[in-house]
């Protein structure tokens, strides 16, 4: 929004509640939001039309809030249809047009379909919403549309998931329905789908081993797989499956033992779900048992209260409608002991799982992904100042085990090494004398060398007395990464604040060394969804790229430089059976920001369907030179006559691989296509790709598109002219 005139929608009704909050309901879409007094007052301000900037200024003064918070809240209300820029007549016309777009003649069916395509929130019986506050609508950096398919365990989480997203700068639109309602996945596109615990879980613990053929997981896993198959017909979005919580009580106590015990049946089912996820493209398992276990399962699971397999939250009993007491003659024990047992927050279960689901979504969708961790040395990788202590550590096995005080630092090293295996680059930024560090950074043979970092593990280093923010900017320029791709670790609060002030795009860690290892290992922005050979080789490949840059600088001209590299490039058209390569292509497209033509991303499942389509193609580029085998570094995704996207890793920009890839696309137009059309969607990072089509014989096609004849069509035309 620039500065439009806004007003409250003619279809919105406001209902004030006794507790001071207000419910806003959109009569047509059925969107409902619970608002606190400040947000309700802000919405009512637009009872009379007002220019946005005027409203922001006035309401910020009235509410005593910052203008950015007010502006963000107005944007949220506008996005959800409570505010509109239309006058009443124009809004009615727009609504009539939207309803007329739906198929069918029955007005009720048309309205139901309209509401389903805009569905937001959970079933009213399970809707648990905190009133929207001005502070909820902070700066939103990403918009994501999520579908939840589950019962009470998942649907009650919807608003908590939204709030957890807002805390991370992610605006979530959350729709929730029952597991049987898989058709909702086809009503509108979703970025991801979450499947909660199914009713079939009750069958897992029923009967003796012979009743389920020795496999207690069979029925449950079959039901989940049926859902997956139905969803895949309707959507290519990533799917997250909730594993089952691990029981906190055993029906038969200590005697409930063996592989078919109550608890082990659930464990076996979770293992079977993990295997199921591996057999399907773009399907992931949430380890619910681990998440609840870390937070304290007894306060989060009700199998010690009501049922062995309900797996709900004990806190829900504190929130039941009073009308449900009729089932117990309106007689019930005092709830205070239960409240004391679950703590002050009866919705800790929802908060815990919202965190887990958001972590998974951030990893799967690549939101805010980090490419490089920048590490300080003194005080982070070893205690004190190396120049003063004379060695990183003074440890020998006679002093202590490797898991005593020195284990804190060994653990940080090991965590960073694991990030390197995931494909995250490591770089060093330290105020130090480089000669001193190079001479003293040594370990004796008695050290666990496989757990410790050496200078060779870092793709580049800035060990000097310069400003660290300037050094980080220098590394960003050298690697060609945007600043928000970096995470900086330093134990000095002054240095962290300096970097945050000078480079706000860089996230920082290091205030809590005792939590640093866990933070590095669990941050979802540092977690690829799959490990590939390229991930493990990334550090070596980037080092080769940097070495190539030095060589280019030393050579007299570009032609001599390229000739000295002995570059080899090859292409291949993938089929639907190339699952590992298609997963790598999905990762490459998601990670590439510079040489990325349209910014469109694809899940492995969507790529598989395109590769299998008669007029679809996924063509990949592989490159190597005398410094490194770069592997799969480029891809073009084509459907019909349209190049949906073409990307190339920044590691090989300037080596001419894009010409080889585009020639392969033109040479394989698909069926009898005579022309191919490509598009460049400009971003603030993809300058290197802007000239791709203009430099390769494509002609402007209007509306930002570029068109070229396929070689087959060109030869046909030449034969026609010759005749």
């Amino acid at each position: 929004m620039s500065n439009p005139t806004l007003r409250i929608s003619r279809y919105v009704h406001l209902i004030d509640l006794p507790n001071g909050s207000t419910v806003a309901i959109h009569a047509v879409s059925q969107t409902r939001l619970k608002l606190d007094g400040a947000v309700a007052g802000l919405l009512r301000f637009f009872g009379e039309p007002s220019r946005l900037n005027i409203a922001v200024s006035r309401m910020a003064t009235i509410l005593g809030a910052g203008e950015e918070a007010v502006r963000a809240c107005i944007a949220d209300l506008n996005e959800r249809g409570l505010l509109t820029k239309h006058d009443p007549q124009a809004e009615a016309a727009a609504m009539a047009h939207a309803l007329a777009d739906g198929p069918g003649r029955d007005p009720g069916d048309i309205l139901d379909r309209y509401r389903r395509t805009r569905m937001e929130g959970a079933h009213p019986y399970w809707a648990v919403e905190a009133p929207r506050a001005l502070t909820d609508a902070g700066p939103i950096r990403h918009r994501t549309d999520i579908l939840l398919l589950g019962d009470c365990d998942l649907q009650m989480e919807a608003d908590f998931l939204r709030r957890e997203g807002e805390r991370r700068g992610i605006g979530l639109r959350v729709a929730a329905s029952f597991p049987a309602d898989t058709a909702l996945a086809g009503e509108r596109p979703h970025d991801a789908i979450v499947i909660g615990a199914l009713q079939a879980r009750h069958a897992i613990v029923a009967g003796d081993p012979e009743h389920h053929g020795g496999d207690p997981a069979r029925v449950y896993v079959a039901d989940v797989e049926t859902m997956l198959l139905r969803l895949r017909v309707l959507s290519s979005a990533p799917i997250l499956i909730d594993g089952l919580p691990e029981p906190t009580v055993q029906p038969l106590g200590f005697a409930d033992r063996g592989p078919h015990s109550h608890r082990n049946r659930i464990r076996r089912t979770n293992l079977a779900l993990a295997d199921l996820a591996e057999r399907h493209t773009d399907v992931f398992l949430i380890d619910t048992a681990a998440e609840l276990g870390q937070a304290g399962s007894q306060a989060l699971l009700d199998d010690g209260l009501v049922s062995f397999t309900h797996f709900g939250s004990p806190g829900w009993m504190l929130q039941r409608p009073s009308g449900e007491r009729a089932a117990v003659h309106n007689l019930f024990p005092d709830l205070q002991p239960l409240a004391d047992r679950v703590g002050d927050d009866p919705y800790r279960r929802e908060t815990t799982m919202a965190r887990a689901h958001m972590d998974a979504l951030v990893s799967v969708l690549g939101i805010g992904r980090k490419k490089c961790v920048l590490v300080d040395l003194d005080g982070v990788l070893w205690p004190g100042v190396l120049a003063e202590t004379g060695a990183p550590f003074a440890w020998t096995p006679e002093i202590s085990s490797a898991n005593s005080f020195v284990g804190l630092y060994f653990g940080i090293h090991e965590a960073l090494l694991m990030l390197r295996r995931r494909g995250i680059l490591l770089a060093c930024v330290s105020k130090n004398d480089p000669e001193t560090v190079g001479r003293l950074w040594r370990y004796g043979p008695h050290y666990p060398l496989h757990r410790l970092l050496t200078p060779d593990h870092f793709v580049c280093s800035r060990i000097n007395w310069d400003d660290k923010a300037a050094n980080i900017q220098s590394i960003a320029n050298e690697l060609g990464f945007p600043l928000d791709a970096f995470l900086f670790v330093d134990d000095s609060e002054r240095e962290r604040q300096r970097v945050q002030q000078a480079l706000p795009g860089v996230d920082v860690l290091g205030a809590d060394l005792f939590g640093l290892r866990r933070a590095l290992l669990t941050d979802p922005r540092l977690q690829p969804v799959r490990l590939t050979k390229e991930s493990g080789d990334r550090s070596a490949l980037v080092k080769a790229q940097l070495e190539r840059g030095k060589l280019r600088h030393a050579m007299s001209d570009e032609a001599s430089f390229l000739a000295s590299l002995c570059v080899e490039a090859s292409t291949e058209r993938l089929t639907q059976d190339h699952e590992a390569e298609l997963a790598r292509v999905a990762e490459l497209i998601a990670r590439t920001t510079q040489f990325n033509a349209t910014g469109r991303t694809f899940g492995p499942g969507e790529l598989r369907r395109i590769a299998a389509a008669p007029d679809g193609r996924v063509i990949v580029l592989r490159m190597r030179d005398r410094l490194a085998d770069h592997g799969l570094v480029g891809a073009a995704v084509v459907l019909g006559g349209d190049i949906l996207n073409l990307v190339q890793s920044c590691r090989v920009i300037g080596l001419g691989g894009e010409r080889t890839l585009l020639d392969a696309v033109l040479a394989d137009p698909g069926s009898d296509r005579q022309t191919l059309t490509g598009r460049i969607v400009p971003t603030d990072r993809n300058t290197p790709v802007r000239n791709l089509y203009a430099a390769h014989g494509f002609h402007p096609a209007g509306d930002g598109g570029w068109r070229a004849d396929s070689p087959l069509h060109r030869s046909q035309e030449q034969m026609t002219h010759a005749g």
Side-chain angles (χ1 to χ4, degrees):
M1 292 184 293
S2 51
N3 187 28
T5 297
L6 298 174
R7 51 177 289 279
I8 194 169
S9 168
R10 65 181 290 171
Y11 301 108
V12 168
H13 301 276
L14 301 178
I15 304 171
D16 293 324
L17 302 179
N19 61 6
S21 60
T22 298
V23 175
I25 301 176
H26 193 287
V28 181
S29 70
Q30 293 294 286
T31 295
R32 64 185 189 282
L33 295 177
K34 188 188 291 186
L35 315 174
D36 70 3
V39 179
L42 176 60
L43 185 58
R44 285 192 167 99
F45 178 85
F46 289 99
E48 294 295 329
S50 174
R51 300 285 284 183
L52 173 62
N53 290 345
I54 295 174
V56 168
S57 177
R58 289 183 181 175
M59 291 307 295
T61 301
I62 293 172
L63 299 174
E67 289 194 0
E68 285 305 310
V70 173
R71 187 179 297 274
C73 187
I74 291 173
D76 186 53
L77 296 174
N78 180 71
E79 182 178 340
R80 286 174 163 81
L82 303 187
L83 294 176
T84 177
K85 63 182 179 181
H86 297 301
D87 61 40
Q89 292 73 28
E91 185 183 14
M95 184 61 67
H97 178 74
L99 293 173
D101 279 348
R105 298 181 179 179
D106 182 83
D109 289 343
I110 293 173
L111 189 58
D112 285 344
R113 179 175 291 275
Y114 175 82
R115 288 172 175 172
R116 280 174 65 82
T117 59
R118 288 152 182 81
M119 186 173 174
E120 186 174 5
H123 188 280
Y125 182 75
W126 289 324
V128 182
E129 295 185 17
R132 305 275 172 127
L134 281 175
T135 53
D136 287 346
I140 298 299
R141 297 184 294 274
H142 303 277
R143 296 285 179 184
T144 302
D145 198 320
I146 306 299
L147 172 61
L148 309 181
L149 294 175
D151 293 325
C152 51
D153 61 322
L154 193 58
Q155 294 209 33
M156 288 185 72
E157 187 191 322
D159 193 61
F160 296 87
L161 190 61
R162 175 189 63 79
R163 281 184 270 162
E164 179 67 19
E166 287 174 343
R167 188 180 68 79
R168 307 183 191 204
I170 302 170
L172 281 185
R173 182 183 182 187
V174 183
S177 191
F178 303 99
D181 192 14
T182 52
L184 187 57
E187 301 291 342
R188 72 166 187 259
H190 297 87
D191 296 304
I193 301 171
V194 183
I195 299 175
L198 306 184
Q199 290 294 316
R201 65 186 182 275
H202 302 296
I204 298 171
V205 301
D208 296 322
E210 60 269 21
H211 295 137
H212 46 67
D215 182 7
R218 184 176 57 187
V219 173
Y220 190 86
V221 173
D223 278 10
V224 173
E225 185 158 31
T226 297
M227 279 192 71
L228 292 179
L229 296 175
R230 289 174 178 169
L231 288 170
R232 275 293 172 252
V233 173
L234 302 168
S235 172
S236 61
I239 299 174
L240 311 181
I241 304 172
D242 275 350
L244 295 175
E246 194 164 297
T248 65
V249 295
Q250 292 270 70
L252 302 179
F254 193 67
D256 200 355
R257 52 193 290 186
H260 289 277
S261 69
H262 176 69
R263 186 174 287 130
N264 282 335
R265 292 187 187 199
I266 299 297
R267 290 170 173 164
R268 291 177 63 176
T269 302
N270 283 331
L271 288 174
L273 288 174
D275 181 63
L276 175 67
E278 287 304 299
R279 298 199 309 269
H280 287 263
T281 302
D282 233 11
V283 174
F284 308 91
L285 182 67
I286 304 294
D287 194 340
T288 303
E291 298 296 339
L292 297 182
Q294 290 182 58
S297 294
Q298 286 193 26
L300 304 179
L301 285 174
D302 61 4
D303 64 333
L305 188 67
V306 297
S307 165
F308 284 122
T309 54
H310 181 241
F311 291 147
S313 167
W316 296 351
M317 191 168 286
L318 301 174
Q319 305 294 319
R320 308 309 298 179
S322 58
E324 293 185 3
R325 289 186 179 231
V328 291
H329 307 294
N330 289 309
L331 302 173
F332 203 69
D334 179 16
L335 288 169
Q336 190 57 48
L338 177 61
D340 294 340
R341 190 173 303 162
V342 302
D344 295 332
D345 182 6
Y347 293 112
R348 233 171 17 114
R349 160 75 174 266
E350 286 71 30
T351 304
T352 298
M353 290 308 301
R355 241 186 341 260
H357 284 133
M358 276 307 308
D359 282 351
L361 290 168
V362 166
S363 294
V364 169
L365 300 178
I367 299 174
R369 180 180 284 119
K370 301 299 178 187
K371 295 184 177 182
C372 181
V373 175
L374 305 155
V375 187
D376 178 34
L377 298 178
D378 293 335
V380 175
L381 293 191
W382 46 69
V385 178
L386 186 61
E388 297 174 357
T389 60
F393 310 103
W395 176 77
T396 64
E398 292 76 24
I399 295 176
S400 71
S401 79
N403 296 311
S404 184
F405 293 115
V406 74
L408 173 68
Y409 298 95
F410 288 2
I412 293 171
H413 281 243
E414 189 175 48
L416 290 166
L417 285 170
M418 289 303 104
L419 296 190
R420 194 170 180 270
R421 286 186 59 186
R422 297 177 188 180
I424 307 298
L425 304 180
L426 303 181
C428 172
V429 179
S430 174
K431 285 187 175 179
N432 241 312
D433 175 63
E435 188 278 329
T436 301
V437 171
R439 177 168 48 86
L440 299 179
W441 191 345
R442 298 284 189 272
Y443 312 109
H446 59 280
Y447 280 80
L449 301 180
H450 64 287
R451 298 179 60 197
L452 296 174
L453 290 162
T454 69
D456 288 340
H457 288 116
F458 296 87
V459 295
C460 56
S461 297
R462 296 293 187 274
I463 302 176
N464 52 44
W465 299 105
D466 296 343
D467 174 55
K468 288 192 176 182
N471 277 329
I472 291 173
Q473 183 65 67
S474 169
I475 290 175
N477 294 340
E478 183 176 4
L479 295 177
F481 294 167
L483 289 171
D484 60 8
F486 291 92
L487 180 66
F488 174 56
V489 181
D490 199 306
D491 64 313
S492 167
E493 182 179 2
R494 183 181 69 255
E495 296 291 0
R496 293 195 305 272
Q497 288 182 351
R498 165 63 186 150
V499 168
Q500 284 188 306
Q501 181 183 34
L503 307 172
V506 177
D507 286 323
V508 301
L509 282 177
D512 175 17
L513 286 182
F514 294 105
L516 181 57
R517 172 184 164 95
R518 183 176 296 277
L520 292 170
L521 292 173
T522 60
D523 191 321
R525 300 169 302 173
L526 297 169
Q527 298 188 40
V529 295
R530 281 186 174 81
L531 297 181
T532 63
K533 183 180 184 300
E534 286 81 1
S535 298
D537 293 342
R538 187 162 288 127
S539 287
L541 295 174
V542 170
K543 279 189 175 183
Q545 175 192 355
L546 299 179
E547 183 65 28
R548 204 167 56 236
K550 295 176 184 177
L551 181 62
R552 171 182 268 126
H553 184 72
M555 298 294 285
S556 58
D557 61 87
E558 188 72 9
S560 299
F561 162 70
L562 291 175
S564 71
L565 287 178
C566 304
V567 177
E568 298 178 18
S570 62
T571 60
E572 179 185 5
R573 178 175 175 176
L574 300 183
T575 70
Q576 59 182 326
D577 298 324
H578 288 88
E579 292 195 14
E581 290 85 351
L582 291 171
R584 164 61 182 148
V585 170
E587 179 198 29
L588 174 67
I589 294 174
R591 293 179 65 96
T592 302
T593 57
Q594 294 186 71
F595 207 97
N596 188 318
T598 67
R600 177 169 173 178
T601 59
F602 308 84
E606 187 176 5
L607 290 175
R608 185 177 182 181
R609 279 186 287 279
I610 291 174
D615 58 350
R617 284 158 295 143
V618 178
I619 299 176
V620 297
L621 169 72
R622 293 183 173 87
M623 297 185 70
R624 62 187 303 160
D625 58 40
R626 67 176 177 83
L627 296 176
D629 184 347
H630 304 286
L632 198 161
V633 291
V637 182
V638 187
L639 188 61
D642 295 322
I643 304 173
L644 303 182
N645 202 0
L646 188 148
V647 304
Q648 183 180 235
S649 170
C650 62
R651 297 197 308 271
V652 294
I653 289 177
L655 299 187
E658 68 276 11
R659 291 191 295 272
T660 302
L661 180 57
L662 201 50
D663 285 345
V665 172
L666 288 167
D668 185 8
S671 61
D672 58 351
R673 296 283 173 185
Q674 297 182 344
T675 61
L676 284 172
T677 301
R679 183 176 300 277
I680 303 294
V681 179
T683 70
D684 57 352
R685 298 176 182 173
N686 71 348
T687 303
V689 79
R690 302 281 178 82
N691 200 41
L692 171 67
Y693 295 121
H696 290 82
F698 282 66
H699 307 288
D703 195 27
W706 294 84
R707 180 174 291 116
D709 292 334
S710 70
L712 174 64
H713 181 53
R714 291 176 193 161
S715 63
Q716 289 173 342
E717 281 193 334
Q718 291 168 356
M719 291 174 63
T720 300
H721 292 316

